[in-house]
Structures are given as C-alpha cells and as structure tokens.
Amino acid sequence: MAWDLVPFLAIALLQVGYAGLNIISMLAMQSGMNPLILVVYRLVFATIAIAPFAYFMEWKTRPKITIPILFQLFLCSLTGGTGNMLFYLVGLKHSTPTIGSALSNTLPAFTFILAVLFRQESVGIKTKPGQAKVIGTIICVGGALLLSFYHGHTIGISVPSMHWTYAENMEKNSSTSSSHGNAIIGPLLIIASSLSWSVWFIIQARMNKIFPAPYTSTTLMCFMASIECGIIALFAKHDISAWSLSNPMWLVASLYAGIFCSALAFVITSWAIQVKGPLYVSVFSPLLLVIVAISSWALLHEKLYVGTVLGSILIVLGLFAVLWGKNKEMKRISAIEEIEAAKRDDAMIQKDDLELQVIADDGNLYVTTRKEKHQEN
C-alpha cells in the first residue's frame, strides 16, 4: 500500500518543481537575464546531467547510431528542445507564470490533432471516447484563445500579507513591458511552444521504434539543441557580460532548469510512466496550474483576470475530456487485444491436441490425441 503512494508523491513533487521553474525563470528574466541565454544554459546543464544515465543504463542495449537516426534526433532537437523552450521562455517573459502553466495544458489537445493528421491516432467520431476527444480538443483550444485575447476585469483578491523582498525588487527593476501588444504576443508564443512540443511527440513516437534508447536520445537531443540555441543567442546577444553567471539568480535558474526540470524530471517521468502509465502522469498537469497560480499570487503579487480564470477552467475541462476519451479508448483496445490473444491461445491448444497418431488395430483406424495417448501409457 505504501509503495503505491511513491509514484503519486514523486509526480506531485515534480509538479511543485515545475511551478518553481516558472517562478525562478521569471525572476531571472526580470533581473536582466536574456531568455535565449537561459535556454542555452538549461540545455547544457541538462546534457551534462543526463549523459551519465545514458552511458551506464544503455551502453549494452544501445542500438547503432546511423545517419537516419541522427537526422531524426536533429528534428527532435529543433522541436522538443529549441522550438519548445525558446518559445516558452520568451512567451513567459511577456506574460505571467499562471498563463504559461495554463496554456501548457493545451499540449494533449494539440498532440491529438497532429496525431490524427499523421495517422498515428484514430478519431472514432461515432464512439463516445472519440466524441470526448474531439469536444475536449475544441474546448481546450477555445480556452487557450479566450485566455490569450481576453483579459476582462481584475478579480478582487486581497494582496497577500507575506512579502518576498527580492521578488519585489526584481519586479520594480524589470524592463518587461506591460503593453497590450506584449500581452498578446506572450500567450501566442506559449501556444507555439505547445505546438512545437506536440510535433516532438509525433517524431519521438517514431524514434522510439527505430532507436529504443530514451536516455541516449534525450542526451543527444539536448546537446544538439544547446548548439542550435547557442547560435541563435549569439546572433541576438553579442554582449559577453550577458553570458556571465555571476548573478546568483541566473546561476540558480540555469542549474535548476537544467538538472531538476530537465534531467531529473525526465528520469522520474519515465519511471512513473513505466509503473503507472502515461495517462496517470498526464492527470497531474492541472495541479501545476493551481500551484503556480497560488505561488505567483503569494510571492509575485500577480493579478488574476476574469479571462485568465475562465480560459484556465476551459483548458482543464478540455484536458480531462481528452484524457477520459483516451483512457476509455485504451481500455477498449486492451480488451480487444486480450480477446484476440485468448483466441490465439485456444487455437494453439486445439492444434496441439489434434496432432494425431494413427494406430492400426485389427484393420480399424483409431484416432487419439496426444493427451489420450499419455493417459493410456
């Protein structure tokens, strides 16, 4: 019984860790750190942290790395590393941690749309699970659009009595614009991040079939993405001082994002999926939104708008509809596979029992099964 709580606690603590990533990354960018440089350091530290797992856990079973596999890894690095992380952090800089967490929950809906387009997923519109996935996707995307383009009035929640002096100073010194243009650009970039991440899921699904070495593929993906992001960041930021990690918050944000939220998170997530399945892990996504919303309100004094709350509610409802439909569909597929496997087993048993031996006795033919022959002996 106690062992069953371990995956629950691990994934719940992981969501707390992700919430910390949103807060710390925002503080680092408010203190002047360029989001492109933060992504580069995150990928570099992630590569260094995951590499030992790849070597010690897969050095005996790792398939040969060929040119086609390297090309697939390159595509993974463009979508899962460079596109996903760059869009997210730049979008986070022009929005809020709560909006970033809410829009991240659109990932299952976008993945479902792309999986249908690439014929990795069937819609099944005539079935209840299929209808739930389609309706959930529409609600999820609608919530994302509402959250992005409508703010409404500020919800009258009293300012918390607790104060974090460092966060307050960073907020005062922040050069982040609060204009309407940036209020739209930020959510749109985070949506682009989810789309990029969804494309990575499609590519990675094929990669797992031809190269079943997740730690090695993640290490190579992070390494390639760090080079890609490094080139982009060098073009965007020529100042050498911008790359310095002498600022404690910059160093903490880079190490935290790379080691905990990339390397360790990947190990924990992979283990939890193996033990409980992918649906179990996905259900915890809304918990991140709740933790970030409370943390941002308490620590960063973030204002909550009517549009943000309504959009977040729609996204979470759509997410659960998609997950419910997928869960029902997986159960139905599993039941069909069990029935087919049972039929195959019965056929094999019948074939084995009907392996005949013809025994001649007084000019008559007697047909016995191997089981009957064993009983006679």
Side-chain angles (χ1 to χ4, degrees):
M1 185 67 180
W3 173 251
D4 292 335
L5 291 175
V6 175
F8 172 82
L9 293 175
I11 298 300
L13 289 175
L14 189 60
Q15 299 305 313
V16 175
Y18 280 139
L21 173 65
N22 283 272
I23 304 297
I24 293 174
S25 297
M26 178 61 79
L27 290 175
M29 289 185 289
Q30 286 181 346
S31 66
M33 188 174 194
N34 189 287
L36 304 179
I37 296 175
L38 177 57
V39 171
V40 174
Y41 279 125
R42 175 180 180 176
L43 289 166
V44 169
F45 288 129
T47 303
I48 296 172
I50 299 176
F53 291 97
Y55 178 77
F56 290 107
M57 298 183 69
E58 296 177 345
W59 69 279
K60 288 184 178 180
T61 59
R62 185 187 304 115
K64 183 180 179 181
I65 301 176
T66 61
I67 298 298
I69 289 176
L70 282 175
F71 179 71
Q72 291 258 32
L73 287 170
F74 172 69
L75 294 178
C76 286
S77 68
L78 284 177
T79 54
T82 303
N84 168 49
M85 295 185 185
L86 279 183
F87 284 139
Y88 185 81
L89 281 180
V90 176
L92 182 65
K93 182 179 180 180
H94 295 296
S95 60
T96 64
T98 301
I99 291 176
S101 300
L103 290 175
S104 296
N105 285 308
T106 59
L107 177 62
F110 290 143
T111 304
F112 170 66
I113 294 172
L114 291 174
V116 170
L117 293 176
F118 285 94
R119 297 183 178 180
Q120 292 185 2
E121 185 93 17
S122 60
V123 178
I125 194 64
K126 294 182 179 180
T127 64
K128 287 186 178 180
Q131 293 169 359
K133 289 191 294 183
V134 172
I135 295 173
T137 299
I138 294 173
I139 294 174
C140 211
V141 174
L145 294 175
L146 177 65
L147 189 148
S148 302
F149 296 107
Y150 174 74
H151 292 279
H153 300 289
T154 304
I155 297 178
I157 302 178
S158 61
V159 179
S161 57
M162 62 184 299
H163 296 278
W164 187 8
T165 306
Y166 184 85
E168 291 177 352
N169 292 335
M170 288 302 99
E171 187 176 1
K172 291 178 182 178
N173 298 329
S174 174
S175 60
T176 302
S177 173
S178 59
S179 65
H180 180 68
N182 283 346
I184 294 177
I185 291 173
L188 288 179
L189 287 174
I190 295 173
I191 290 174
S193 169
S194 293
L195 281 172
S196 181
W197 194 236
S198 300
V199 174
W200 175 80
F201 270 99
I202 303 301
I203 300 173
Q204 187 64 33
R206 297 180 179 179
M207 169 65 69
N208 289 338
K209 296 178 181 178
I210 62 175
F211 191 74
Y215 294 104
T216 302
S217 62
T218 303
T219 301
L220 293 174
M221 182 190 78
C222 290
F223 175 71
M224 292 180 181
S226 65
I227 296 175
E228 296 158 8
C229 292
I231 295 172
I232 296 172
L234 284 173
F235 274 104
K237 201 72 175 177
H238 302 288
D239 188 6
I240 299 299
S241 62
W243 291 80
S244 173
L245 292 179
S246 57
N247 186 316
M249 178 54 67
W250 296 12
L251 178 61
V252 169
S254 301
L255 289 171
Y256 184 83
I259 296 176
F260 183 85
C261 293
S262 293
L264 186 59
F266 175 78
V267 174
I268 293 175
T269 303
S270 300
W271 172 77
I273 290 174
Q274 184 179 4
V275 174
K276 289 290 187 178
L279 183 69
Y280 182 86
V281 178
S282 301
V283 168
F284 283 80
S285 297
L287 178 62
L288 173 61
L289 173 59
V290 175
I291 297 172
V292 169
I294 295 174
S295 302
S296 298
W297 168 75
L299 300 177
L300 303 181
H301 296 178
E302 179 184 329
K303 296 180 180 179
L304 290 179
Y305 296 91
V306 174
T308 303
V309 174
L310 291 178
S312 300
I313 292 173
L314 288 176
I315 289 172
V316 172
L317 290 175
L319 170 68
F320 276 118
V322 173
L323 293 177
W324 180 87
K326 186 63 180 177
N327 184 36
K328 291 294 184 181
E329 185 180 71
M330 292 301 295
K331 286 183 178 179
R332 182 176 61 84
I333 293 174
S334 178
I336 293 174
E337 290 177 349
E338 289 179 1
I339 293 172
E340 291 179 348
K343 289 181 178 179
R344 287 195 298 267
D345 291 341
D346 290 341
M348 291 296 294
I349 293 172
Q350 291 176 4
K351 182 180 178 181
D352 188 57
D353 286 343
L354 291 176
E355 185 180 13
L356 305 177
Q357 180 178 6
V358 179
I359 303 175
D361 186 10
D362 295 333
N364 295 321
L365 295 179
Y366 293 91
V367 181
T368 60
T369 65
R370 188 165 29 173
K371 183 178 179 179
E372 291 172 344
K373 183 183 176 182
H374 178 73
Q375 291 176 347
E376 290 175 0
N377 292 335

